[in-house]
């Protein structure tokens, strides 16, 4: 039995010292090298035997869009945007929750500045995460042994390049600052890339990171009043839904022939990824930049009574997809217990993405309307 220490480097998931000990040390470096663990695989079997992947590939070819076609001339007033967008911050950092913390005496100006930094940080993490997806999917093209999956993954590489492009451009032209990659996100991406089992790239990226991204983009898309960001997110989500479906469809077939020990390793990897992503949302770099004690503010967030609602929502795609893959209840229901502890199990019966990806394709809907 693998202990919490071995999986996530600490016994208690909420151990603040251990969370803060994970810090980004090379923030000024321009490149970061990770040794990929897997072999590049040729297949000589060109037979198209996986109709679900074929269908996804056809859909991807007709739902491509050009980043240049977004309304980039939209004027963005970031203060107005964050003011309209404060629901989540107001709930987590209510007067009651911040009592006795370093931000207790903050007035409107400080909270606005925080909200702006927080938006710069969030979009920066989206951009870095998208680059992680670009690299992981290029890796899947090399490592997956099925021709239909190589074809599909190649379309996803193009999608991810476009996603990095749109977030980078939005940050440069419309926001007021950048952040380096969050240390927890970086650790997770490095782990995914370094793993030598091809299916772990899918689990880490398509199921966990992209599942969280899909929910998170959906949440921001609903909240934001800024029309350019709204459309950008809506188009990125159309692609992301396909990407998550790619993960579910591929892993369903592969997991069917794994033994109990191998499935347990996948459950543990899913748990590790969930914890890293939870930790990244504590946004420690923002507090650092604001000159506020990070430890105090991580504590405020971990204790905020409303935090589980927002945190849970981010897992609303991951949990049903893990259930569909049989990971929740395999063995002794180990992952179900972990997701229950993290407060996210209530989403288990929401739609899984292999069933709903077509309904999220706004690009196809827009094209049909124009035709
Ligand atoms: Fe993406
Ligand atoms: Fe993606």
């Amino acid at each position: 039995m693998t202990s919490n220490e071995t999986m996530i480097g600490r016994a208690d998931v909420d151990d603040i010292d251990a969370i803060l000990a994970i810090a980004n040390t090379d923030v000024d470096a321009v490149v970061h090298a990770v040794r990929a663990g897997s072999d590049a695989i040729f297949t000589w079997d060109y037979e198209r035997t996986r109709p679900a992947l074929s269908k996804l590939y056809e859909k991807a070819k007709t739902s491509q869009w050009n980043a240049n076609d977004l309304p980039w001339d939209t004027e963005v007033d970031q203060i107005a945007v964050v003011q309209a967008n404060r629901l989540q911050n107001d709930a987590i950092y209510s007067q009651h929750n911040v009592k006795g913390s370093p931000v207790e005496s903050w007035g409107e100006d400080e909270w606005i500045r925080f909200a702006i930094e927080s938006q710069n940080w969030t979009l920066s993490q989206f951009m870095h995460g998208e680059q992680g997806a670009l690299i992981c999917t290029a890796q899947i093209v090399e490592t997956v042994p099925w021709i239909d999956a190589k074809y599909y993954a190649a379309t996803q590489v193009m999608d991810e390049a476009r996603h990095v492009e749109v977030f980078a451009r939005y940050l440069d032209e419309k926001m007021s600052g950048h952040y380096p990659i969050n240390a927890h996100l970086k650790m997770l991406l490095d782990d995914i890339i370094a793993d030598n089992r091809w299916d772990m790239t899918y689990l880490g990226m398509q199921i966990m990171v992209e599942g969280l991204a899909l929910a998170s983009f959906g949440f921001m898309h609903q909240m934001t009043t800024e029309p350019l960001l709204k459309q950008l997110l809506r188009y990125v989500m159309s692609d992301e839904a396909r990407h998550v479906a790619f993960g579910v469809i591929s892993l369903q077939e592969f997991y069917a022939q794994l033994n109990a020990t191998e499935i347990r390793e996948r459950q543990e990897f899913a748990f590790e990824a969930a914890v890293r992503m939870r930790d990244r949302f504590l946004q420690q770099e923002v507090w650092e930049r604001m000159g506020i004690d990070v430890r105090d503010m991580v504590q405020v967030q971990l204790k905020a009574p409303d935090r589980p609602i927002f945190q849970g929502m981010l897992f609303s795609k991951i949990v049903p997809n893990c259930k569909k893959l049989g990971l929740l209840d395999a063995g002794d229901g180990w992952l179900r217990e972990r997701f229950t502890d993290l407060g996210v199990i209530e989403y288990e019966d929401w739609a899984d993405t292999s069933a709903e990806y077509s309904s999220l394709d706004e690009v196809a809907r827009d094209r049909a309307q124009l035709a």
Side-chain angles (χ1 to χ4, degrees), residues 111-142:
W111 283 114
I112 295 275
R113 205 191 129 209
F114 167 73
I116 287 176
E117 288 300 328
S118 179
Q119 195 189 26
N120 291 341
W121 179 88
T122 300
L123 288 165
S124 297
Q125 301 317 320
F126 285 169
M127 174 181 69
H128 300 310
E130 293 293 356
Q131 189 183 170
L134 174 65
I135 288 174
C136 283
T137 312
Q139 198 178 14
I140 288 177
V141 172
E142 291 189 344

Side-chain angles (χ1 to χ4, degrees), residues 36-329:
S38 41
D39 293 335
I41 302 293
F42 279 88
T43 174
W44 310 126
D45 179 3
Y46 294 95
E47 200 80 47
R48 306 289 297 276
T49 53
R50 294 180 169 83
L53 290 180
S54 242
K55 189 177 157 203
L56 211 54
Y57 178 50
E58 292 307 316
K59 185 123 192 79
K61 284 191 284 184
T62 55
S63 291
Q64 293 289 313
W65 48 280
N66 187 341
N68 294 339
D69 295 339
L70 292 174
W72 290 105
D73 55 357
T74 308
E75 294 281 344
V76 177
D77 174 352
Q78 200 179 5
I79 293 181
V81 170
V82 299
Q83 265 169 335
N85 224 331
R86 279 181 48 176
L87 181 69
Q88 179 174 0
N89 284 341
D90 285 354
I92 293 176
Y93 306 107
S94 68
Q95 269 310 316
H96 175 75
N97 294 348
V98 300
K99 213 170 170 21
S101 82
V103 302
E104 187 181 3
S105 60
W106 272 12
E108 186 66 9
D109 287 355
E110 285 96 339
W111 283 114
I112 295 275
R113 205 191 129 209
F114 167 73
I116 287 176
E117 288 300 328
S118 179
Q119 195 189 26
N120 291 341
W121 179 88
T122 300
L123 288 165
S124 297
Q125 301 317 320
F126 285 169
M127 174 181 69
H128 300 310
E130 293 293 356
Q131 189 183 170
L134 174 65
I135 288 174
C136 283
T137 312
Q139 198 178 14
I140 288 177
V141 172
E142 291 189 344
T143 60
V144 67
W146 309 331
I147 197 69
D148 288 305
K150 286 185 189 291
Y151 290 167
Y152 177 77
T155 69
Q156 189 179 334
V157 173
M158 183 61 223
D159 293 349
E160 303 301 0
R162 183 168 57 237
H163 298 174
V164 181
E165 179 192 356
V166 294
F167 283 115
R169 182 165 175 190
Y170 192 82
L171 272 159
D172 270 348
E173 294 183 10
K174 311 296 178 187
M175 297 288 96
S176 53
H178 288 83
Y179 277 81
I181 188 166
N182 167 269
H184 303 280
L185 175 61
K186 183 180 180 198
M187 192 179 197
L188 174 59
L189 294 176
D190 286 3
D191 280 356
I192 296 170
I193 293 164
D195 202 292
N196 63 4
R197 297 160 292 188
W198 65 263
D199 70 293
M200 291 299 204
T201 322
Y202 272 101
L203 177 60
M205 182 47 65
Q206 268 75 3
I207 304 299
M208 302 301 293
V209 176
E210 298 192 284
L212 184 131
L214 186 56
S216 186
F217 295 160
F219 187 55
M220 191 180 269
H221 170 255
Q222 250 180 1
M223 292 237 303
T224 192
T225 50
E226 199 285 273
L228 168 60
L229 184 59
K230 218 178 179 63
Q231 190 175 347
L232 182 161
L233 289 168
R234 184 166 154 278
Y235 271 33
V236 171
M237 282 172 70
S238 301
D239 297 339
E240 289 311 340
R242 264 195 321 272
H243 304 168
V244 179
F246 176 48
V248 176
I249 292 166
S250 304
L251 292 183
Q252 248 186 322
E253 175 179 340
F254 186 70
Y255 285 0
Q257 40 90 47
L258 293 185
N259 65 34
T261 313
E262 290 165 331
I263 288 290
R264 176 57 179 266
E265 287 165 4
R266 273 75 188 164
Q267 290 178 305
E268 290 177 359
F269 193 63
F271 171 62
E272 185 204 327
V275 171
R276 302 286 175 231
M277 294 194 297
R278 195 289 306 259
D279 293 350
R280 104 171 172 73
F281 277 95
L282 299 169
Q283 49 185 32
Q284 53 200 78
E285 298 84 3
V286 175
W287 299 112
E288 231 168 72
R289 191 167 291 184
M290 298 283 294
I292 294 289
D293 188 282
V294 178
R295 193 175 200 290
D296 286 346
M297 294 318 295
V298 167
Q299 202 149 29
V300 166
Q301 291 174 81
L302 288 177
K303 284 191 179 148
D306 286 334
R307 185 185 56 98
I309 300 170
F310 294 107
Q311 184 184 305
M313 186 278 312
L314 296 172
F315 285 81
S316 60
K317 304 287 181 192
I318 290 176
V319 182
N321 288 329
C322 282
K323 185 173 188 176
K324 175 99 178 185
L325 290 173
L327 289 180
L328 268 194
D329 291 305

